[in-house]
Amino acid sequence: GELGLDLDDLKPAVRQVLSEVKELENQGFQFEGAEASLELLMQKGMNGARTRFFELIGFRVIDEKREKGEQPLSEATIMVRGPEGQVEHTAAQGNGPVNALDNALRKALTKFYPEIDEIRLLDYKVRVLG
């Protein structure tokens, strides 16, 4: 092709990505407006694997209802394993569970990747499932 790609080589990778997207959507994931997530799936399909910069060991989120008129409080605790096997266990608060998780993950990963301090989560959507 024009880009120097062999379309016959791409077909199995494209089929794999489409199959994975279909399966994830059956589980409730949505990829409209989630370009980064779709790009990661495509990179994995084209390369056969993707680089793992950290491993998620586990996380917990607590939503606390407060007195009438007070802002609800969310707290996230997260444990990750870094690129050389070191474990980081951190907690953070936030305005809602996604913000709390973002703050806790950022706090943990900054130990391994200081440049994360310059990245901001600006836009995300939350869907509550029954």
Side-chain angles (χ1 to χ4, degrees):
E2 281 183 38
L3 300 175
L5 299 172
D6 184 344
L7 294 179
D8 288 333
D9 288 345
L10 287 177
K11 285 179 186 176
V14 170
R15 269 197 232 81
Q16 173 62 33
V17 170
L18 290 175
S19 174
E20 193 165 349
V21 167
K22 185 177 177 181
E23 177 59 31
L24 289 169
E25 286 185 338
N26 285 338
Q27 294 174 26
F29 288 83
Q30 290 185 339
F31 291 95
E32 294 82 16
E35 292 85 8
S37 297
L38 188 56
E39 184 177 336
L40 286 171
L41 283 174
M42 290 170 60
Q43 285 180 7
K44 179 182 170 191
M46 298 303 191
N47 301 327
R50 66 175 194 258
T51 304
R52 288 194 155 290
F53 295 98
F54 68 95
E55 176 189 350
L56 174 66
I57 297 172
F59 69 93
R60 180 179 64 227
V61 178
I62 300 168
D63 272 329
E64 180 183 327
K65 301 291 182 206
R66 308 196 95 184
E67 289 184 27
K68 195 172 185 175
E70 285 189 50
Q71 189 78 349
L73 178 68
S74 293
E75 180 182 308
T77 304
I78 195 161
M79 190 180 295
V80 296
R81 182 171 288 112
E84 295 176 16
Q86 62 279 53
V87 173
E88 189 63 36
H89 185 207
T90 62
Q93 295 178 342
N95 296 324
V98 174
N99 183 237
L101 275 169
D102 176 47
N103 291 337
L105 183 59
R106 179 180 309 282
K107 192 173 173 183
L109 293 181
T110 301
K111 305 274 169 83
F112 312 124
Y113 306 106
E115 57 274 14
I116 286 178
D117 266 345
E118 300 171 25
I119 299 171
R120 295 287 167 256
L121 178 60
L122 298 176
D123 186 26
Y124 58 88
K125 294 179 183 173
V126 176
R127 206 174 106 204
V128 179
L129 300 176

